[in-house]
Amino acid sequence: MDAFLYRIKAAQRDLIERCGGIMRVESLTGYSKSQVGRWNNPSEPDQMPVGAIRALEADCGVALVTAVLAEANGRRLTDPEAERARDVSILSSLGSVGSEFGEMMNAAAMAISDGHVTPSEATTVDRIASQLERSLSNLRASLASAKAAGGERAALSVVGRE
């Protein structure tokens, strides 16, 4: 498989995860558990049909596979950032980004420590990178909301001060 197909497979896996897993996707799409499992397995070449992609992206509210397809054609999708930003603060987003970045760097270091990155190790790092990407997106949405509102109060306090 080429890099594009690996990106599609990763997006399919993330979509299945966000929609509640293999069993729930089976009930949402009408496809068998085995077929959904093949979509979820990075070693299998099976790709979701457009109808399933559309149904699952509508269910979770995130166009994961569609975004990969758009990117492959030199395009970007836009998100309704203002809606997400209301639920996510800048400080919690920064915390998530830092935590997931550290986890990704640790997994990547472990993967390259022997001088060879296996497909399994690459999948592990990719899963963490997907979570990091989501956290970065939430941070950017929060920052956009703060800019649109003319700023945001950062509720920090100094410990030990009266």
Side-chain angles (χ1 to χ4, degrees):
M1 285 197 292
D2 65 22
F4 168 73
L5 292 177
Y6 282 112
R7 292 284 315 278
I8 289 290
K9 291 298 289 188
Q12 286 180 175
R13 183 194 63 240
D14 294 345
L15 187 58
I16 290 168
E17 180 183 321
R18 286 196 189 188
C19 288
I22 291 173
M23 299 304 288
R24 183 152 186 278
V25 168
E26 176 189 14
S27 68
L28 288 171
T29 63
Y31 285 89
S32 71
K33 181 173 103 173
S34 298
Q35 181 60 59
V36 176
R38 286 190 296 273
W39 294 339
N40 197 51
N41 186 338
S43 301
E44 295 287 337
D46 296 46
Q47 295 178 32
M48 291 179 179
V50 173
I53 293 168
R54 197 159 174 245
L56 296 176
E57 288 181 343
D59 181 73
C60 74
V62 183
L64 296 170
V65 175
T66 302
V68 172
L69 293 170
E71 183 181 305
N73 288 292
R75 303 283 188 241
R76 273 185 52 195
L77 302 180
T78 57
D79 288 332
E81 293 179 17
E83 292 176 27
R84 283 190 315 173
R86 280 183 254 151
D87 299 329
V88 182
S89 78
I90 292 172
L91 295 175
S92 66
S93 295
L94 281 169
S96 293
V97 167
S99 173
E100 288 161 7
F101 180 77
E103 186 178 348
M104 185 189 70
M105 292 303 292
N106 182 57
M110 295 298 292
I112 63 173
S113 66
D114 62 358
H116 178 73
V117 178
T118 67
S120 176
E121 291 169 331
T123 298
T124 298
V125 175
D126 185 52
R127 282 190 175 133
I128 299 167
S130 173
Q131 294 168 341
L132 175 60
E133 188 173 54
R134 189 177 325 146
S135 292
L136 283 168
S137 179
N138 287 339
L139 174 61
R140 293 186 74 204
S142 296
L143 294 169
S145 178
K147 287 191 284 187
E152 179 179 301
R153 179 163 160 60
L156 295 176
S157 61
V158 177
V159 177
R161 281 215 167 156
E162 296 180 24

